[in-house]
Amino acid sequence: MLCTARAVRARSVTARSVSVGYVKITVLSGGVGGARFLRGLRHHLREARPDGIGGTTAEITAVVNTGDDMWLGSLRIAPDLDSIMYTLAGANDEVRGWGRLGETERVSAELAAYGVGWPWFTLGDLDLGTHIARSHFLRSGLTLTEATDRITARWDLGVTLLPVTDDEVETQVVTDEGSMHFQEWWTRHRAALPARRFVQQDVTTANPAPGVLEAIARSDIIVVAPSNPVVSIGTILGIPGIRAALAEASAPIVGVSPIIQGAVVRGMADACLTAIGVATSAEAVARHYGSRRAGGLLDAWLVDETDADSVTTLEPVGIAALAVPLWMRDVGSSARLAADALGAAYALGAEGSV
Ligand code: GDP
Ligand code: CA
């Protein structure tokens, strides 16, 4: 089915005027791209549903990648969970694009003076507070899900953050110079060492975290955020049971391209795509995810208006593509993108309305 932007918008406008029911939205998410999308989605729902999300009319659950997590010394770092938490809390550094606003690095300087530390990984003082709290909870016997629950309780996020798994499934990057943790490849080597493969450690024995399969099964709408298709979304899909749950979900699955005009918007996801033999284009990523009707992931796919050509080429593949503005420059543009994603889901017959 081919959807035009106008058709979907017209439908969502009609739906908005008869706003009824309770809508449950689940978003598969990495860090920064996912965080921006979630902030826009929350904004859109708050405007469209004055009763408030998390209250009586709408519910957003983010299923978050944990493949980037690692132990640094005695601290458990969870970059994607934290990027989302800081962004939704309004505590993020908007200019730098990651980490906490007003951050300092006094503790890191002290560690360096003792000859301890990881110069390639910035550990800000405020950020360290989060890592210490998380590590404390984990050492007290809490799962990552429970620790995340405790940590996020401090903020008014309006989104439930669920780590995709409580098991440690760290992404390793295989290069010609050996295997290393994804974070080391990404931040220390700036993804410049050619990657041969990405391997999720111990993934075959990992389980989805409590609530993840349930969230997918009871969703009205599922969105694949504009996140890194390989190490963010790919890691989520690699956890045993997730793909099957998505295949069986009654909700439409709408993906948002992280690629615009053949380039990543931020970061180095192109290096990850190249490593798995996928071209850096919105269309190639959609084909990589595949149509749900043909055993893949997607029912619909949002590409940027500048990539509108791929709308017709994806139709025969069984993916309803739609060209809309994909740049999330601010909360307003992110909210419009979220509205378009929901519009695409309603055009495919999603339950409820916004
Ligand atoms: P990470 O874990 O911090 O790398 O973040 P994600 O995996 O969630 O997202 C990374 C992806 O977000 C990159 O591939 C970017 O191209 C994409 N991205 C960032 N900003 C935007 C934006 O404004 N629009 C779109 N469509 N994608 C974006
Ligand atoms: Ca990440």
Side-chain angles (χ1 to χ4, degrees), residues 30-34 80 226-228 232 257-258 260 264-266 269 326-328:
V32 172
D80 290 3
S227 289
N228 187 315
S232 294
S257 174
I260 299 178
V264 290
V265 180
R266 293 177 187 86
L326 283 200
W327 280 90
M328 298 184 287

Side-chain angles (χ1 to χ4, degrees), residues 157-195:
L157 301 185
V159 175
T160 302
L161 304 193
L162 292 182
V164 63
T165 176
D166 284 334
D167 301 318
E168 294 183 9
V169 291
E170 304 183 7
T171 301
Q172 293 285 321
V173 186
V174 181
T175 76
D176 292 342
E177 296 179 26
S179 211
M180 64 190 76
H181 192 288
F182 169 74
Q183 284 299 346
E184 189 174 355
W185 178 75
W186 188 255
T187 55
R188 185 181 204 168
H189 298 284
R190 309 295 304 156
L193 273 182

